[in-house]
Amino acid sequence: QISVLFMKKGNMQDFDYASYARQGFFQLMAVSIINLAIILVTSKRNEINKKITYTKIMNLCLAVFTLIILVSSFYRMYLYEQEYGYTFLRLMVYVSLITEAILIIPTVLYILDFKINLTKTYFVVIIVMYIIVNYINIDNIIAKRNIDRYFEDQTGTYELDMNYLETLSIDAVGQVERLKGTNDEFLEFQVRVFLDNAKTEV
């Protein structure tokens, strides 16, 4: 992960963006679960044998390595999103990665023998992130980001996935209206259809 992420090495031609991003995310999840299990078990045993500092060092290394994989996974998803745009699932991957990064903080404190209830702390962090996701306007953000990319693209290579935007809720209407009057006749037609359907739903 370090060689690919920081030294720009690795055999990248064997991956398309989708495979590269998905592999990074699921690798992170698998490694994180394994690392967490190791940290919990060994730290618990370390409480019984106070003299074991080697265990703490190894657990801290696990936390650092998890962070490196997290950064790599975030970078992979960023490349994927830059190529194909934003979707609900891709934003949720970002949320999961951010949550994972936050969870590393209490994990490190637990390794260093701070008196915290790790299970309750994890639960609180996850619930807070869940509440935040439910309060932000996801569909509006997705539409805004993709449409901004469409207008900012100077090369004409970015293809706005209007078919996906049409699946969004009426929260995206304000952003889609920005596309009215474009020179692309087919896109103009899709925008009209979306707005007409949104008016019908209202």
Side-chain angles (χ1 to χ4, degrees):
Q1 294 298 326
I2 291 174
S3 65
V4 172
L5 183 60
F6 299 112
M7 301 178 186
K8 306 300 182 184
K9 294 180 181 179
N11 191 11
M12 292 291 298
Q13 65 267 25
D14 293 337
F15 298 92
D16 57 33
Y17 280 103
S19 298
Y20 189 58
R22 282 197 300 269
Q23 283 190 12
F25 178 70
F26 289 113
Q27 285 171 359
L28 171 68
M29 290 297 101
V31 170
S32 298
I33 292 171
I34 294 170
N35 288 358
L36 175 60
I38 293 173
I39 288 171
L40 290 176
V41 171
T42 55
S43 294
K44 198 68 177 177
R45 294 183 64 183
N46 200 43
E47 290 179 3
I48 301 173
N49 304 295
K50 295 291 185 180
K51 61 182 181 179
I52 302 178
T53 56
Y54 174 79
T55 304
K56 292 181 182 179
I57 295 173
M58 292 296 99
N59 283 343
L60 288 173
C61 287
L62 280 179
V64 172
F65 295 155
T66 302
L67 184 61
I68 291 173
I69 298 174
L70 187 151
V71 173
S72 175
S73 181
F74 200 97
Y75 178 66
R76 291 171 184 233
M77 182 52 61
Y78 172 77
L79 291 176
Y80 188 26
E81 165 262 310
Q82 288 294 305
E83 183 72 14
Y84 297 110
Y86 291 82
T87 65
F88 178 82
L89 183 59
R90 291 165 201 166
L91 283 181
M92 288 304 99
V93 169
Y94 280 129
V95 171
S96 298
L97 295 175
I98 293 170
T99 304
E100 179 80 17
I102 296 172
L103 292 178
I104 290 178
I105 298 173
T107 302
V108 170
L109 295 177
Y110 181 77
I111 294 170
L112 297 175
D113 292 332
F114 281 78
K115 300 301 180 182
I116 61 174
N117 189 316
L118 199 59
T119 304
K120 288 183 178 179
T121 305
Y122 283 174
F123 181 76
V124 169
V125 171
I126 293 171
I127 289 297
V128 169
M129 293 300 293
Y130 177 78
I131 292 172
I132 291 174
V133 168
N134 279 275
Y135 267 92
I136 61 178
N137 194 335
I138 293 289
D139 284 352
N140 183 272
I141 293 173
I142 292 172
K144 183 180 186 308
R145 295 282 188 173
N146 284 311
I147 293 171
D148 284 347
R149 286 278 306 281
Y150 174 75
F151 285 123
E152 292 168 2
D153 181 42
Q154 302 295 325
T155 62
T157 57
Y158 178 74
E159 295 183 8
L160 181 65
D161 190 355
M162 192 61 203
N163 290 328
Y164 177 76
L165 295 185
E166 288 175 349
T167 66
L168 301 178
S169 68
I170 58 174
D171 292 334
V173 168
Q175 298 299 331
V176 174
E177 284 181 338
R178 296 164 54 198
L179 295 169
K180 290 164 65 175
T182 59
N183 295 326
D184 189 326
E185 293 183 2
F186 182 66
L187 178 60
E188 178 75 18
F189 170 75
Q190 289 180 300
V191 169
R192 252 192 341 265
V193 170
F194 174 82
L195 296 177
D196 289 343
N197 291 337
K199 289 178 182 177
T200 303
E201 291 181 16
V202 174

